[in-house]
Amino acid sequence: MNTVADQSVLDAASNRHLDWLESEAIHIMREVAAECTRPALLFSGGKDSIVLLRLAEKAFRPGKFPFPLVHIDTGHNFPEVIAFRDKRVAELGEQLIIGSVEDSIKRGTVRLRNPATDSRNAAQAVTLLETIAAHQFDACIGGARRDEEKARAKERIFSFRDDFGQWNPKAQRPELWSLYNTRVHAGENMRVFPISNWTELDVWQYIAREKLELPSIYFAHEREVIPRNGLLVPLTDLTPPREGETVQKQVVRFRTVGDISCTCPVSSDAATVDAIIRETAITQITERGATRMDDQTSEASMEKRKKEGYF
């Protein structure tokens, strides 16, 4: 067997697959720009939104993006990710609009039992809807993928939201032959997912091909963690140990980088993109299933939050 030749064939097939996914995503972004009056692209500094930025560059450069970047900031984000977000926005020279959950708490539109420590993940829905209303966005582009979670598997690429910002999985529009109905009335909006058909492995292979920079916490590093309910909870002021729990030092990495209060790392020694690709190729647990505390409350957790306006 010619191992070099076999690897060359595999690499060529992978590139053709990524070319197809890239072409579809660029087409979707251009459809949003052409058909929507006031779109926005959500950018959190996470790997999926980093891929969206590269796709937007390929779709619209050398011109400016035809939409601002938007981040719904819980105030409980990992500092490495926020630093990366600001660095990347400055490099691109694009506009960043920040919707703050902390501001929603001060306005009284978000109420938590303990605002200093309670998870703000679900509360993002309120702040997102307020940000959409304030800026009159009729479409928000996001990096959700169908392989992440059961509720997201029900999404259309152009996901319709009513004038209350709510999602009804039974009232979505058909998308035959890559034709998209983008019409909305005042107050309604679309959530658009150009990388719906990508998998976590596709994302990492694209990151490798495009040589994209990422926040450091995606790669293996030593961190203090607390084993809890089959997950590794990062030790922070927001997530202290409970009575009877022990703190351990482990080599871990993050597969997703959401709110500190609900996002866990996984044990891993993958310190490079190639190592992460090899690890991702054999994993049998989705990134949300392996890392998100808030999705453990019930199998319907994500769908309930999406119906209330969560992205």
Side-chain angles (χ1 to χ4, degrees):
M1 179 182 290
N2 189 331
T3 305
V4 174
D6 290 344
Q7 186 59 49
S8 179
V9 170
L10 289 173
D11 290 344
S14 176
N15 271 317
R16 286 195 299 272
H17 176 63
L18 292 177
D19 285 342
W20 185 90
L21 290 173
E22 178 188 76
S23 178
E24 179 190 49
I26 288 172
H27 167 69
I28 292 164
M29 281 197 173
R30 288 174 174 165
E31 282 290 293
V32 173
E35 298 292 336
C36 300
T37 302
R38 178 67 172 155
L41 189 154
L42 295 198
F43 177 60
S44 65
K47 68 181 187 305
D48 296 323
S49 60
I50 290 168
V51 166
L52 285 182
L53 285 191
R54 174 50 57 91
L55 294 168
E57 288 183 276
K58 292 195 173 189
F60 304 112
R61 287 296 194 238
K64 299 282 285 183
F65 292 169
F67 36 64
L69 307 179
V70 172
H71 182 214
I72 305 304
D73 187 352
T74 65
H76 289 171
N77 300 99
F78 291 96
E80 302 97 322
V81 180
I82 294 299
F84 180 89
R85 178 201 71 184
D86 294 342
K87 174 178 175 288
R88 192 72 187 100
V89 170
E91 290 171 347
L92 289 167
E94 297 290 346
Q95 178 190 10
L96 175 66
I97 295 170
I98 299 176
S100 169
V101 173
E102 184 68 37
D103 289 345
S104 297
I105 292 171
K106 291 176 181 176
R107 284 192 294 268
T109 51
V110 167
R111 296 184 180 182
L112 301 174
R113 182 175 299 174
N114 188 337
T117 58
D118 286 357
S119 175
R120 300 181 177 186
N121 196 46
Q124 289 181 85
V126 174
T127 306
L128 174 60
L129 295 177
E130 291 174 344
T131 304
I132 288 172
H135 296 274
Q136 299 183 319
F137 294 131
D138 60 346
C140 288
I141 303 167
R145 307 184 324 269
R146 290 180 177 135
D147 75 320
E148 290 180 89
E149 201 274 336
K150 293 177 182 178
R152 284 182 169 169
K154 298 180 182 180
E155 287 277 16
R156 298 288 196 267
I157 290 174
F158 279 73
S159 180
F160 173 75
R161 305 299 172 109
D162 65 22
D163 51 0
F164 291 102
Q166 296 175 326
W167 174 68
N168 182 351
K170 296 180 180 180
Q172 296 301 301
R173 299 168 178 182
E175 293 180 343
L176 305 175
W177 308 293
S178 298
L179 297 175
Y180 305 110
N181 181 352
T182 63
R183 295 182 181 179
V184 294
H185 293 109
E188 299 172 341
N189 66 86
M190 288 285 182
R191 312 289 172 85
V192 185
F193 307 111
I195 61 172
S196 289
N197 293 325
W198 298 44
T199 65
E200 184 182 8
L201 182 59
D202 294 328
V203 167
W204 280 108
Q205 289 176 328
Y206 191 76
I207 287 168
R209 189 178 82 168
E210 299 295 313
K211 298 178 172 60
L212 300 181
E213 186 181 358
L214 295 168
S216 60
I217 64 175
Y218 276 113
F219 302 99
H221 59 283
E222 190 173 72
R223 183 179 288 261
E224 290 186 308
V225 296
I226 308 156
R228 181 183 298 164
N229 298 329
L231 299 175
L232 298 176
V233 178
L235 177 66
T236 70
D237 292 341
L238 297 171
T239 52
R242 296 172 181 170
E243 186 177 354
E245 292 182 331
T246 58
V247 177
Q248 303 176 1
K249 275 192 175 182
Q250 292 195 28
V251 177
V252 299
R253 70 176 182 89
F254 286 83
R255 290 175 67 183
T256 182
V257 291
D259 192 87
I260 287 174
S261 63
C262 63
T263 306
C264 298
V266 295
S267 293
S268 172
D269 59 2
T272 66
V273 172
D274 286 344
I276 291 173
I277 288 172
R278 290 193 295 270
E279 190 175 87
T280 303
I282 61 174
T283 188
Q284 296 182 337
I285 304 176
T286 66
E287 61 208 271
R288 293 194 68 91
T291 67
R292 300 304 288 267
M293 287 182 275
D294 54 335
D295 287 342
Q296 289 193 333
T297 54
S298 79
E299 288 197 352
S301 294
M302 171 63 83
E303 182 156 339
K304 179 177 183 293
R305 293 199 303 275
K306 285 174 67 64
K307 288 179 178 179
E308 293 170 349
Y310 188 82
F311 207 86

